Amino acid sequence: MKNIIILLSTTLFSLTVLAQDDTTQNATPTDHAGMTFNLGERAPFEIDTLYINSGKAYVILMDVQKDYDDDTVSIHGGPVDDEEKELLKNFEDNSFEIIKQYQHTLILFENGQKLDLSSIDNTFQGLAYWHGNLEDDVKLKQTVNKSTEFVAEQMGLNTKSSYVINNEKYKNELDLLKNKNEFTDKSKLLMHAFLDDGYKAFLTNQLGQNANLFNSPPENLKKMNLYISSGNEQKILKRSIEMNAKGQIEKLILFDRAGKISQSIDYIYENDILTKTVSDGRKTTTFSYADDKMMSFQNIGGANEINVYYLKNGEKNFKNYIIMIDEAYASQNTLSQTITEKNCKIRYINDAVWSRNCFTDQNNFPYVHTYTSYQDGEVMQYRKFKIEKENEKLYKKYYSNATQDSDKDEYMLNGTYVLNKDNLVTNYTIIDDQEIINLEIEYIYNN
């Protein structure tokens, strides 16, 4: 019987061993689990020995780090938790016992083999599988990802991780749209809907909370400035948007509290068709069209972000793909989509409902808007607003203290909208926890 000892010098059957001060290898924000610190004094860490008896199969998911040896630390999330969920989903109950190993330890198997994870100065990441039979060897994998495929191979099965299946689906969907550039009347409608949303987001990012009070930009608009003030503070320029001769957004500028530019986005057109945006002169998003679909492509560091926009019943919907460039992190690929269903915009992430924005007819008052967010199918947050029309030039917004749909509404004033003679909002006042924030909008027209 052969011993499996994980040391810096081993190669065959060795796990990935990274020096503790090496931050360049596997450096992504979600490589490791998150940590929360419990109250209490940290006890000196002592290496324990974990004994694995025969008689049943075991899967050991390992992400061993010095920080995790602290017994005041609670570990949550990360690749080990993600792979555990995959294994539980993809195999029948009682197929094996899962052990999540975060602390330095020595693991002894009843068949005489061992995994030495005791070197405090090193980290260990990987996966071990043992059938539980004394005559069988422990099998090792140097990474935690694709644990389903590795375990299935040991069990003589052909099972894939859900993210592997999804990645194949994402690739097929995007391949159908690549290298297409067919701008039609449907494409034009999509582009206008996209630009209108950019105009509205300039004023406020609160999806659906403001009824139809922020419409498409008025004709002959050259520039629009958004000023903000609180209490007795002097108003400061917060945002500025410039339009081209065709009434399309040409430039968006954001300012910090000192009045300096914090972000600048240029919108670039060819033959009146939006082809790209350039943020701060370096970060580029490109656009292409395929009849009833509009696509945007952007590199966001270690991943590519692709948005696919389409119209459904006159409403803009979209799919958002985050595709990791390094396939080793394919488990972090995601698909989120916002779909209009009846009077709601529902956002899904990997097929799970993430949020619902629901509203009544935006042209009729009182107007009611609700926002609900979810986690693992449970309601995490519920908010409800309504807008009442006082007269043609004044509207008031109220916030309900209800925390769920079945609660009785008790409304409190949350804001006011003042419109000018052209029915454009010139002042939007937000009342939040006794603090009053005033947004003043300036419209500058072409001569």
Side-chain angles (χ1 to χ4, degrees):
M1 186 68 62
K2 139 182 83 180
N3 285 338
I4 300 177
I5 305 175
I6 303 175
L7 299 171
L8 283 171
S9 60
T10 61
T11 54
L12 188 64
F13 297 123
S14 66
L15 296 177
T16 302
V17 181
L18 304 178
Q20 192 69 24
D21 60 354
D22 186 349
T23 60
T24 62
Q25 303 183 63
N26 290 340
T28 64
T30 54
D31 266 352
H32 304 300
M35 298 185 295
T36 55
F37 292 86
N38 303 319
L39 296 176
E41 186 176 349
R42 177 176 179 172
F45 178 71
E46 296 181 359
I47 299 295
D48 287 330
T49 300
L50 176 63
Y51 297 94
I52 305 296
N53 296 319
S54 63
K56 63 178 178 180
Y58 288 87
V59 174
I60 305 175
L61 300 170
M62 293 167 280
D63 185 8
V64 177
Q65 301 186 54
K66 190 173 184 178
D67 287 342
Y68 298 167
D69 292 336
D70 186 347
D71 60 5
T72 66
V73 168
S74 296
I75 303 166
H76 50 86
V80 165
D81 271 7
D82 292 342
E83 291 299 324
E84 179 191 33
K85 291 175 183 177
E86 284 289 327
L87 291 169
L88 292 173
K89 179 169 56 178
N90 296 330
F91 295 93
E92 294 182 1
D93 294 342
N94 302 318
S95 295
F96 41 74
E97 180 176 334
I98 299 174
I99 297 174
K100 298 190 292 184
Q101 188 61 43
Y102 294 106
Q103 294 183 324
H104 288 87
T105 192
L106 178 65
I107 304 178
L108 301 179
F109 296 86
E110 193 176 345
N111 67 354
Q113 294 180 282
K114 65 181 178 181
L115 293 176
D116 190 349
L117 311 177
S118 63
S119 177
I120 297 294
D121 293 329
N122 295 313
T123 64
F124 303 88
Q125 295 176 330
L127 165 69
Y129 177 84
W130 186 39
H131 282 292
N133 301 321
L134 292 175
E135 62 273 16
D136 289 333
D137 286 338
V138 177
K139 303 296 183 181
L140 293 180
K141 184 176 182 293
Q142 294 186 359
T143 58
V144 179
N145 69 313
K146 294 187 178 180
S147 60
T148 289
E149 283 76 3
F150 179 75
V151 171
E153 181 183 357
Q154 313 311 316
M155 298 174 64
L157 302 174
N158 182 23
T159 308
K160 292 183 178 181
S161 302
S162 64
Y163 55 80
V164 171
I165 296 171
N166 286 336
N167 291 340
E168 293 172 353
K169 182 174 70 173
Y170 302 161
K171 184 177 184 299
N172 291 335
E173 290 175 356
L174 294 173
D175 282 347
L176 292 174
L177 297 172
K178 280 183 180 178
N179 303 318
K180 284 192 175 183
N181 204 356
E182 180 189 5
F183 192 84
T184 65
D185 287 341
K186 292 179 181 178
S187 307
K188 188 175 183 179
L189 289 173
L190 264 173
M191 184 184 74
H192 285 166
F194 175 84
L195 292 172
D196 279 353
D197 281 351
Y199 166 80
K200 293 172 186 175
F202 162 79
L203 297 166
T204 173
N205 290 318
Q206 300 165 321
L207 178 62
Q209 287 190 23
N210 302 293
N212 66 345
L213 296 176
F214 296 112
N215 290 309
S216 300
E219 292 184 5
N220 207 31
L221 181 68
K222 179 180 180 181
K223 187 176 182 179
M224 188 165 56
N225 294 320
L226 177 67
Y227 299 89
I228 185 171
S229 61
S230 177
N232 296 322
E233 293 180 358
Q234 184 177 0
K235 69 180 182 181
I236 60 173
L237 180 60
K238 191 66 177 175
R239 300 175 188 171
S240 181
I241 193 169
E242 299 174 5
M243 314 295 286
N244 63 20
K246 300 287 185 178
Q248 299 168 318
I249 300 175
E250 190 170 61
K251 193 179 192 69
L252 172 63
I253 306 173
L254 307 182
F255 300 88
D256 61 21
R257 294 190 64 84
K260 296 181 179 179
I261 295 176
S262 61
Q263 186 180 12
S264 176
I265 303 174
D266 291 292
Y267 291 69
I268 298 171
Y269 303 84
E270 293 181 9
N271 299 319
D272 300 332
I273 299 172
L274 179 67
T275 57
K276 64 182 175 181
T277 59
V278 181
S279 178
D280 298 326
R282 61 182 187 276
K283 190 180 294 183
T284 300
T285 300
T286 60
F287 297 87
S288 64
Y289 305 85
D291 188 28
D292 60 348
K293 294 181 176 63
M294 173 181 176
M295 290 77 67
S296 69
F297 305 85
Q298 180 185 1
N299 179 279
I300 54 174
N304 290 318
E305 180 178 18
I306 303 100
N307 288 313
V308 179
Y309 304 93
Y310 61 97
L311 290 176
K312 180 181 178 182
N313 298 324
E315 296 287 341
K316 179 172 69 65
N317 301 278
F318 74 92
K319 294 182 178 181
N320 172 266
Y321 300 84
I322 303 294
I323 307 296
M324 302 301 292
I325 294 173
D326 187 342
E327 289 192 357
Y329 299 104
S331 61
Q332 298 175 27
N333 291 351
T334 61
L335 168 63
S336 64
Q337 50 186 327
T338 299
I339 299 174
T340 303
E341 296 181 6
K342 294 184 179 179
N343 63 333
C344 295
K345 287 188 178 293
I346 305 174
R347 187 183 182 207
Y348 297 85
I349 297 182
N350 293 336
D351 297 325
V353 176
W354 192 259
S355 65
R356 290 177 184 267
N357 277 282
C358 299
F359 26 80
T360 56
D361 185 345
Q362 297 192 26
N363 295 304
N364 292 322
F365 296 89
Y367 167 80
V368 178
H369 170 272
T370 61
Y371 169 82
T372 311
S373 63
Y374 304 86
Q375 184 174 343
D376 297 327
E378 299 292 329
V379 174
M380 294 297 294
Q381 188 178 31
Y382 176 84
R383 297 198 304 265
K384 186 174 183 179
F385 298 88
K386 74 172 180 178
I387 298 176
E388 293 187 347
K389 181 178 180 180
E390 297 292 311
N391 56 54
E392 293 298 327
K393 304 302 178 186
L394 177 64
Y395 294 78
K396 290 186 177 181
K397 182 177 183 179
Y398 297 87
Y399 171 71
S400 171
N401 64 354
T403 59
Q404 55 186 359
D405 187 55
S406 58
D407 287 351
K408 183 179 179 181
D409 293 314
E410 292 185 14
Y411 284 103
M412 298 171 288
L413 184 63
N414 181 252
T416 60
Y417 307 83
V418 177
L419 280 61
N420 64 12
K421 60 182 178 60
D422 297 319
N423 291 323
L424 299 171
V425 176
T426 54
N427 288 90
Y428 173 36
T429 301
I430 303 171
I431 303 169
D432 186 20
D433 293 331
Q434 307 306 314
E435 181 183 18
I436 298 178
I437 300 171
N438 187 59
L439 304 179
E440 181 181 326
I441 304 167
E442 178 188 22
Y443 302 89
I444 300 172
Y445 295 91
N446 290 300
N447 294 327

